[in-house]
Amino acid sequence: MFPLHDLKINLNGQYIFFLNQDVMSKYSGSLRKVIKQSKKKRNKKKKSPEIITIELDDFPGGPDGFELVSRFCYNNGDISIIDVSNVSTLYCCSVYLGMTEKFCLSNLFLQTDKFLQEVFYGSWNDIIMCLKNCEQVFLLADSYGLVDKLIFAALTKISRNSETFSSSSLSSFASSLSPEMAKNTPESDSRYISQSVSCGRSNEWWFDDISNLSPQIILKLVMIIGAYKTNVRSSILTRFLLHYLKTKLQTKSRSTTELMRNKLEYSDLADTAVKGVISAGKNAFSCRKLFWVLRVLSSFSLSRESRTGLETLIGEMLEQATLDDLLISAGESREGGFYNVDLVMRLLKVFVKNREEEEEEEEEESRETNMKDIGKLIDKYLREISPDQNLKVSKFLGVAESLPDSARECFDGVYRAIDIYLQSHPNLTSQDRAKICRCLNYKKLTMGTCKQLARNPKIPPEIAIEALKSRCENQEHTTPDVKVVNKSFSCRYSEEKKKPILLHLEISDKLADRLKTRGAYNWRVMDSFREGL
């Protein structure tokens, strides 16, 4: 008589099961074959019967899956242990171990296959549960065709409860899986989930349930829809992918490890979503919605092609943007600043280029209005990002100089942003303080702002002199009461208003030359000059 435990199963090199050879051999063709070969070797070597050890690597479902198989065998093939939460795992285990009716009537493979046939035409929740269970054995479930069949069953349910997919477009896929499945696909089924359909918009009732599945399964769903050219209405697939990726970002249990493990799958899904967004274009997505899409998908390693395409679409309609839209965080890497300034510069580049190309087609008045709206928006953006301690002068200038001078009727907003920047960065060198003023068009400063600039002690003296000179030269052409004499600056009083139109500053030719010489300022003269403004 054989001992009770004469079979040792070493599972994945980590778990040990002690079982009976006869019990396991009765149901598993694979185990029976290995046990028989081991016994032959022992008989040839005339060794006494001992416990046979079998190593199983990458077993579907791991120790939990093997425990279910063992319970099935020790319960004389009792079907009561099969349900929607484990049938996918048991199905893969039965194929892996060769547990077919060839070795035992009503074996595990036959029972799980019959159970799955009922699931295919059963309730929506059962299908989703089986797909969820496939995540534990995805590679085998996919290679055995189980994932495809369950996805088709889910798509069929969706098509019957909304106008998302046309049923006729799924027939080719159904016949490719099983002629019986195609034949037994009814046009209507009272068992469908009317409660779910009543929630929210009819075409999107399935979003939340499918969003609980892994990215591998979602990729299979996308591939199936694309491969069989299923009719997708109203860009529903794109909206689902955006919903799915947003849900993954918001899930509290989502860990960095999980994202890194499925980085490739998430990246592929994000790229697919971008293609759908670009295909739908401006008619389906507002500028604000596109910024939302960019924020969500940027967390999933978009390809350069997808990112460029999405940014181009946003840049072409940037005149619709608001300040909140532009204030996008730089993410974890904030060495260059808290906000993603590089993104804004790229969007502005697209906008300006697009406006130049549309010059002949668009009315000049409309074009100038759009450009000036962008100018006001960027001035607000500059004031918002100026206090950032990590914002470099080059980045500030990059944004300010992304627009042509014609985009601004007045440069007062740019000066206010510069003033905030200088106050927030007290340790700037004189060269940097002079450099940041490069983006100013002094001739487009109002009188009040020009006075403020000249009074500002953080503005280098040569900038103050240059601004005043440009302002005077500009005023000379517009105001007859102003006179610029040689190298001296002077201002007459208006006879009507009895107020000085420009700053009064009369200096000798020699002192004017000294003040204009870079780095050779008489600071006492400049201080008294500023105090008199």
Side-chain angles (χ1 to χ4, degrees):
M1 184 176 179
F2 292 104
L4 185 61
H5 303 299
D6 54 4
L7 177 63
K8 178 182 176 182
I9 302 293
N10 187 344
L11 196 70
N12 300 333
Q14 295 180 321
Y15 305 94
I16 304 295
F17 289 84
F18 290 96
L19 305 165
N20 183 271
Q21 296 178 15
D22 291 339
V23 173
M24 301 304 292
S25 297
K26 180 180 177 180
Y27 296 95
S28 173
S30 299
L31 292 179
R32 180 186 295 186
K33 181 179 179 181
V34 175
I35 290 171
K36 187 176 181 180
Q37 291 176 348
S38 298
K39 286 183 176 180
K40 285 183 178 180
K41 291 180 181 179
R42 288 184 179 278
N43 291 334
K44 288 181 180 181
K45 295 180 180 180
K46 297 180 180 180
K47 289 186 177 181
S48 59
E50 293 181 2
I51 295 178
I52 294 177
T53 300
I54 298 177
E55 295 184 0
L56 298 178
D57 295 326
D58 300 322
F59 188 81
D64 294 334
F66 192 81
E67 182 180 352
L68 288 174
V69 171
S70 302
R71 287 173 57 191
F72 174 85
C73 297
Y74 274 85
N75 288 337
N76 295 318
D78 187 1
I79 197 174
S80 62
I81 67 168
I82 302 177
D83 58 37
V84 291
S85 66
N86 61 31
V87 65
S88 298
T89 297
L90 286 172
Y91 178 85
C92 293
C93 291
S94 68
V95 178
Y96 186 92
L97 292 175
M99 301 177 71
T100 64
E101 59 272 19
K102 177 181 177 181
F103 302 98
C104 178
L105 294 177
S106 189
N107 207 342
L108 184 59
F109 176 81
L110 182 62
Q111 294 188 42
T112 53
D113 188 58
K114 286 182 178 179
F115 192 97
L116 286 169
Q117 291 298 325
E118 294 181 2
V119 169
F120 295 149
Y121 311 112
S123 72
W124 166 262
N125 289 334
D126 286 350
I127 295 173
I128 298 302
M129 284 292 291
C130 288
L131 276 170
K132 189 69 178 175
N133 185 228
C134 282
E135 295 175 3
Q136 303 176 23
V137 290
F138 179 77
L139 293 178
L140 287 176
D142 187 30
S143 63
Y144 299 155
L146 178 58
V147 175
D148 287 356
K149 292 179 180 180
L150 286 169
I151 288 177
F152 166 73
L155 291 176
T156 304
K157 297 287 186 185
I158 294 171
S159 69
R160 304 280 163 61
N161 290 275
S162 63
E163 298 179 352
T164 304
F165 308 105
S166 68
S167 300
S168 59
S169 61
L170 294 171
S171 59
S172 61
F173 181 58
S175 60
S176 70
L177 294 175
S178 169
E180 181 183 356
M181 181 177 287
K183 182 180 179 181
N184 295 328
T185 303
E187 289 301 321
S188 62
D189 193 332
S190 60
R191 292 174 293 179
Y192 294 155
I193 28 142
S194 58
Q195 292 181 352
S196 296
V197 176
S198 64
C199 300
R201 286 181 288 179
S202 60
N203 284 345
E204 299 182 1
W205 59 265
W206 49 279
F207 279 18
D208 289 337
D209 291 334
I210 298 290
S211 293
N212 292 322
L213 301 175
S214 67
Q216 297 99 320
I217 293 178
I218 302 302
L219 269 177
K220 288 291 295 184
L221 182 145
V222 173
M223 291 170 61
I224 287 172
I225 292 174
Y228 291 89
K229 299 181 180 179
T230 303
N231 180 29
V232 183
R233 298 173 184 169
S234 304
S235 303
I236 193 72
L237 181 59
T238 299
R239 294 208 302 272
F240 164 68
L241 289 176
L242 293 174
H243 176 86
Y244 177 80
L245 294 170
K246 181 196 72 171
T247 301
K248 290 302 176 183
L249 283 180
Q250 293 176 343
T251 302
K252 294 181 179 180
S253 60
R254 180 187 63 84
S255 63
T256 304
T257 305
E258 193 269 342
L259 265 183
M260 291 301 297
R261 184 172 63 249
N262 299 310
K263 182 178 180 180
L264 181 61
E265 288 84 1
Y266 280 120
S267 179
D268 289 342
L269 290 174
D271 286 337
T272 302
V274 170
K275 291 177 182 177
V277 170
I278 295 174
S279 177
K282 304 175 185 178
N283 295 329
F285 292 91
S286 64
C287 186
R288 168 152 288 191
K289 187 67 174 179
L290 288 174
F291 270 106
W292 176 86
V293 170
L294 182 62
R295 281 183 169 93
V296 171
L297 300 188
S298 292
S299 302
F300 295 101
S301 302
L302 279 175
S303 66
R304 178 176 296 182
E305 180 183 0
S306 295
R307 183 178 293 277
T308 301
L310 186 56
E311 290 179 2
T312 299
L313 188 60
I314 296 174
E316 291 174 351
M317 51 195 303
L318 195 62
E319 71 275 5
Q320 302 175 21
T322 64
L323 179 59
D324 289 340
D325 294 332
L326 298 182
L327 295 176
I328 298 178
S329 172
E332 297 179 0
S333 177
R334 295 179 177 175
E335 295 180 358
F338 182 82
Y339 295 110
N340 194 341
V341 177
D342 291 334
L343 169 64
V344 174
M345 286 192 285
R346 292 196 298 270
L347 296 178
L348 287 171
K349 183 177 180 180
V350 172
F351 176 81
V352 172
K353 182 180 179 182
N354 188 59
R355 282 293 171 269
E356 291 175 350
E357 293 175 351
E358 293 179 351
E359 282 185 358
E360 297 181 358
E361 303 176 5
E362 194 175 0
E363 294 182 6
E364 183 177 354
E365 184 178 351
S366 174
R367 188 171 63 251
E368 289 181 356
T369 300
N370 290 339
M371 189 65 79
K372 286 181 171 55
D373 287 341
I374 286 293
K376 295 176 182 177
L377 175 63
I378 296 305
D379 289 353
K380 292 179 182 178
Y381 179 75
L382 286 170
R383 292 197 294 273
E384 191 69 27
I385 66 175
S386 291
D388 187 354
Q389 295 296 313
N390 293 323
L391 182 65
K392 297 179 181 179
V393 172
S394 59
K395 297 291 185 182
F396 183 97
L397 288 173
V399 176
E401 295 177 342
S402 294
L403 293 174
D405 275 7
S406 59
R408 297 181 175 94
E409 292 181 349
C410 177
F411 271 71
D412 287 11
V414 180
Y415 169 72
R416 284 193 287 272
I418 290 175
D419 186 35
I420 295 171
Y421 187 89
L422 293 177
Q423 292 181 34
S424 303
H425 301 75
N427 297 324
L428 287 179
T429 63
S430 178
Q431 290 80 0
D432 283 338
R433 285 187 279 119
K435 183 179 179 181
I436 201 172
C437 295
R438 185 184 70 192
C439 58
L440 285 172
N441 184 336
Y442 305 125
K443 294 182 179 181
K444 286 189 175 185
L445 291 174
T446 62
M447 176 58 63
T449 301
C450 197
K451 288 181 179 181
Q452 292 177 21
L453 183 150
R455 289 194 199 103
N456 195 335
K458 295 185 179 297
I459 299 292
E462 74 268 25
I463 299 298
I465 293 295
E466 186 178 350
L468 288 169
K469 179 182 177 182
S470 298
R471 191 68 180 80
C472 287
E473 290 174 349
N474 186 50
Q475 196 74 10
E476 182 180 17
H477 297 290
T478 59
T479 307
D481 291 326
V482 177
K483 183 180 180 182
V484 180
V485 182
N486 200 14
K487 296 179 181 179
S488 300
F489 298 105
S490 65
C491 175
R492 297 179 182 179
Y493 283 86
S494 170
E495 295 297 331
E496 296 179 1
K497 298 182 180 179
K498 299 299 182 182
K499 293 182 180 179
I501 296 175
L502 283 183
L503 305 175
H504 182 75
L505 177 63
E506 294 189 5
I507 54 180
S508 65
D509 291 351
K510 183 177 180 181
L511 182 55
D513 290 338
R514 287 189 59 194
L515 288 174
K516 291 179 182 179
T517 304
R518 188 179 184 85
Y521 291 98
N522 186 315
W523 289 101
R524 286 180 296 178
V525 172
M526 286 303 303
D527 290 342
S528 61
F529 161 58
R530 280 171 167 154
E531 289 174 1
L533 294 177

